[in-house]
Amino acid sequence: MKFQITDKNIGSVKADCELVFIIDKNFENKFIKDKEAFEFLGFDGEGAQLVQSSNTIYVGIPKLEADELRLGASKAYGAIKNLKIKSLKVASYHVGCDRLSIQSIVEGFLLGSYEFNKYKSKNKPVSLEEVIISTQELNDVKIDLDKAKKGVKQGEIIASATNFSKDIVNEIPEIYTPLKMAKDAKDLAKELKNVTCKVYDEKFLEKEKMNAFLAVNRASANPPRLIHLTYKPKDAKKRIVFVGKGLTYDSGGLSLKPADYMLTMKSDKSGAAAAMGIIKGASELNLPFEIHAILGATENMIGGNAYKPDDVLISRSGVTIEVRNTDAEGRLVLADCLSFAQDLKPDLLIDMATLTGACVVGLGEYTSAIMGNNEELKHEFKTKSKASGELTTVLEFNPHLRELVKSQIADISNTASSRYGGAITAGIFLDKFIKDEYKDIWIHQDIAGPAYTEKAWGYNQSGATGAGVRMNLYYLNAMAKEL
Ligand code: BES
Ligand code: ZN
Ligand code: ZN
């Protein structure tokens, strides 16, 4: 889908259909030409309504906010996608006309039109090819064309990074092994400016004493990979390291998941997929930071050589871990990857993981948890990432919960002694692997809820949502503006 910005009057722009956003439910807006038809059609300003006689699609949005515009654009797309409409025009007047609004509309179309259909033998054709945004204002005040074009460009980059991440998560576990992730990362580095990629095999993991990571992989027919992507522009201002949980399949291991819970566990690579999407976005946005992505790619399988509940693992950092449940494998992989990541001396360290079912129970399926030791940093992240539309909740560590991950036999247990507070105790487990000097620059993001959905919601189709990509890119973009 292509986007075009024009300062031509909306009336003189040629297109098969016009999109009109409705904010005012009294329909007092000069672009609304079909008030009478609304009465007949029973359209009260909510949802999308096509009026064929005037080739107009009306979409009601409750507020002029970035995410409402994303939702609105995606609803408009949904209403016309199977019609023979090749081009759609929209006047920016409706949306307050700033860069973020235009960016959000572009994101809404691109996120809403994503499909993962490679395994369907038949697909319905989609006609829409072009969206033309006119910057004509209500009182003929025009917005800066350059700003509008920047909005389009940023929207395209951020949505395409998100959709790129969705493709990785949606791919089936038979195909998407750690080796495939390594190949994708290498290909990505070839494609992008200022990006390099190193891939480390099991011998390297052994040399680095990444025994927690290796234990998770042990019963898998597919070897593990530690993948290190680096985006390094000239004169980078800060070094930011992302760490992603890349479980290409999580069967639970010997603490095997029940059948119903195992289904969808191809999505356990979402943290790593998000980190790859962030590198893509960062490079295309030319962000002024040095950004690393450390991906821990492995499966968690069963077999005669599987690691076992009762085992004790000596992690890369030297901290010993009692394994009480092999399904709490993500934190084991992350423990070693976080240790590796701190050797890069980051100014900011962010891990992303589909870490706990408890997080989904606690926050619901739509919200990611933000954890860490630095109150200010967590809240700053929440505020600066808000316009992305991704929902976040800050969760707090406390000394009582810290007690629960103590082990009788090792330095820490991979499960808590209580079933309550599981998202936070997982975060506390990871904290054990963060050195004192990095405690305050570390954020843990549990994306288990929103990363994958079995039913479509908002502009997300069923399947992967690309959770983590937009919130972090918006955060980085906001930080870049402050430089
Ligand atoms: N990958 C799962 C967490 C998960 C659950 C992600 C649901 C997305 C949706 C993780 O490895 C896991 O199984 N965690 C266990 C931890 C428990 C054994 C302490 C869980 O949450 O049940
Ligand atoms: Zn698990
Ligand atoms: Zn897992």
Side-chain angles (χ1 to χ4, degrees):
M1 202 183 307
K2 289 217 154 53
F3 295 88
Q4 201 189 311
I5 294 281
T6 175
D7 56 1
K8 273 199 215 155
N9 180 302
I10 188 81
S12 63
V13 176
K14 283 208 177 73
D16 297 339
C17 186
E18 179 174 355
L19 164 60
V20 174
F21 286 113
I22 299 181
I23 298 140
D24 170 12
K25 295 250 173 84
N26 297 318
F27 306 134
E28 301 292 336
N29 165 342
K30 75 165 185 175
F31 294 100
I32 300 173
K33 297 155 283 185
D34 296 299
K35 266 196 230 178
E36 278 145 42
F38 289 170
E39 211 164 299
F40 175 72
L41 293 163
F43 177 58
D44 60 2
E46 259 180 51
Q49 178 68 57
L50 184 72
V51 179
Q52 215 181 333
S53 55
S54 68
N55 288 334
T56 309
I57 173 89
Y58 293 94
V59 175
I61 56 172
K63 272 181 279 183
L64 251 185
E65 276 179 5
D67 212 43
E68 299 298 349
L69 289 167
R70 272 184 212 104
L71 287 165
S74 127
K75 269 185 205 157
Y77 174 82
I80 62 167
K81 70 173 180 185
N82 293 320
L83 306 177
K84 289 227 158 15
I85 292 172
K86 277 193 169 175
S87 55
L88 182 70
K89 62 179 180 179
V90 54
S92 64
Y93 149 70
H94 309 291
V95 299
C97 236
D98 59 3
R99 180 198 51 75
L100 177 61
S101 303
I102 288 176
Q103 180 174 331
S104 304
I105 293 177
V106 171
E107 287 178 20
F109 276 107
L110 293 174
L111 295 170
S113 61
Y114 172 85
E115 280 179 45
F116 186 76
N117 52 19
K118 68 184 275 198
Y119 295 109
K120 293 256 191 204
S121 25
K122 275 195 196 122
N123 287 301
K124 276 193 187 157
V126 171
S127 304
L128 189 63
E129 286 170 3
E130 192 181 22
V131 176
I132 307 148
I133 301 169
S134 154
T135 57
Q136 175 209 13
E137 276 286 294
L138 187 60
N139 303 315
D140 288 326
V141 186
K142 286 172 183 155
I143 80 155
D144 190 73
L145 265 188
D146 286 341
K147 262 195 195 160
K149 283 182 183 161
K150 193 168 176 201
V152 169
K153 184 105 193 95
Q154 295 211 351
E156 284 177 331
I157 291 173
I158 290 174
S160 122
T162 310
N163 289 343
F164 168 81
S165 166
K166 291 184 201 173
D167 273 344
I168 295 172
V169 175
N170 281 328
E171 187 52 277
I172 59 172
E174 162 80 13
I175 302 284
Y176 217 95
T177 60
L179 288 178
K180 168 72 172 144
M181 186 177 281
K183 183 180 182 308
D184 277 5
K186 288 215 147 176
D187 289 349
L188 186 66
K190 268 184 223 144
E191 248 166 58
L192 297 173
K193 213 172 79 186
N194 296 330
V195 177
T196 54
C197 177
K198 281 191 197 147
V199 173
Y200 300 108
D201 65 8
E202 55 276 38
K203 283 195 200 88
F204 178 86
L205 299 187
E206 272 162 34
K207 210 174 78 211
E208 287 285 313
K209 301 196 172 74
M210 298 176 93
N211 299 316
F213 187 165
L214 282 166
V216 173
N217 178 260
R218 216 184 297 148
S220 169
N222 290 300
R225 286 294 179 264
L226 175 71
I227 301 161
H228 182 176
L229 280 159
T230 307
Y231 160 66
K232 196 171 182 175
K234 263 199 208 109
D235 306 321
K237 299 288 180 270
K238 262 186 189 176
R239 186 177 301 136
I240 301 167
V241 180
F242 286 93
V243 173
K245 171 178 175 183
L247 263 287
T248 59
Y249 204 71
D250 180 12
S251 71
L254 289 182
S255 314
L256 196 64
K257 284 184 186 292
D260 286 355
Y261 289 82
M262 200 184 297
L263 196 66
T264 74
M265 278 302 131
K266 66 171 183 180
S267 69
D268 218 19
K269 54 182 169 335
S270 297
M276 286 162 82
I278 291 165
I279 292 286
K280 176 172 156 68
S283 161
E284 289 174 356
L285 289 168
N286 273 317
L287 290 180
F289 307 115
E290 180 182 317
I291 304 178
H292 297 256
I294 304 295
L295 320 175
T298 175
E299 296 177 329
N300 184 24
M301 301 300 286
I302 52 170
N305 59 346
Y307 82 122
K308 305 167 188 73
D310 282 347
D311 273 340
V312 173
L313 311 170
I314 307 172
S315 70
R316 184 182 188 271
S317 67
V319 173
T320 60
I321 306 165
E322 176 189 2
V323 177
R324 293 181 68 89
N325 189 316
T326 62
D327 197 13
E329 85 300 335
R331 62 195 76 183
L332 300 177
V333 173
L334 288 179
D336 280 346
C337 290
L338 280 166
S339 157
F340 185 86
Q342 289 165 83
D343 287 358
L344 298 168
K345 300 192 169 48
D347 298 307
L348 175 65
L349 175 62
I350 298 180
D351 75 76
M352 292 173 291
T354 44
L355 203 61
T356 64
C359 194
V360 196
V361 172
L363 306 188
E365 291 169 79
Y366 311 103
T367 306
S368 292
I370 306 299
M371 287 172 246
N373 298 296
N374 184 336
E375 293 305 310
E376 215 176 298
L377 179 63
K378 287 187 288 182
H379 286 96
E380 182 196 83
F381 180 86
K382 185 175 170 63
T383 313
K384 290 189 175 151
S385 63
K386 190 168 188 288
S388 72
E390 282 200 57
L391 302 172
T392 57
T393 289
V394 173
L395 297 182
E396 312 283 343
F397 296 158
N398 70 53
H400 310 292
L401 290 172
R402 281 192 197 275
E403 285 294 314
L404 305 182
V405 289
K406 289 198 169 151
S407 161
Q408 304 289 343
I409 188 173
D411 298 337
I412 194 163
S413 161
N414 85 327
T415 59
S417 55
S418 159
R419 57 199 188 90
Y420 302 117
I424 302 178
T425 49
I428 287 171
F429 176 94
L430 297 179
D431 180 47
K432 185 86 179 166
F433 299 86
I434 305 293
K435 292 183 191 163
D436 285 347
E437 64 253 56
Y438 299 115
K439 290 267 187 222
D440 277 343
I441 55 112
W442 167 62
I443 300 179
H444 160 55
Q445 301 175 345
D446 192 335
I447 57 171
Y452 196 87
T453 174
E454 289 188 89
K455 49 180 195 319
W457 56 275
Y459 33 77
N460 302 303
Q461 301 72 20
S462 72
T465 66
V469 177
R470 281 182 300 127
M471 66 179 179
N472 283 294
L473 284 176
Y474 269 75
Y475 177 60
L476 295 175
N477 232 347
M479 276 203 307
K481 282 213 187 88
E482 281 175 2
L483 290 175

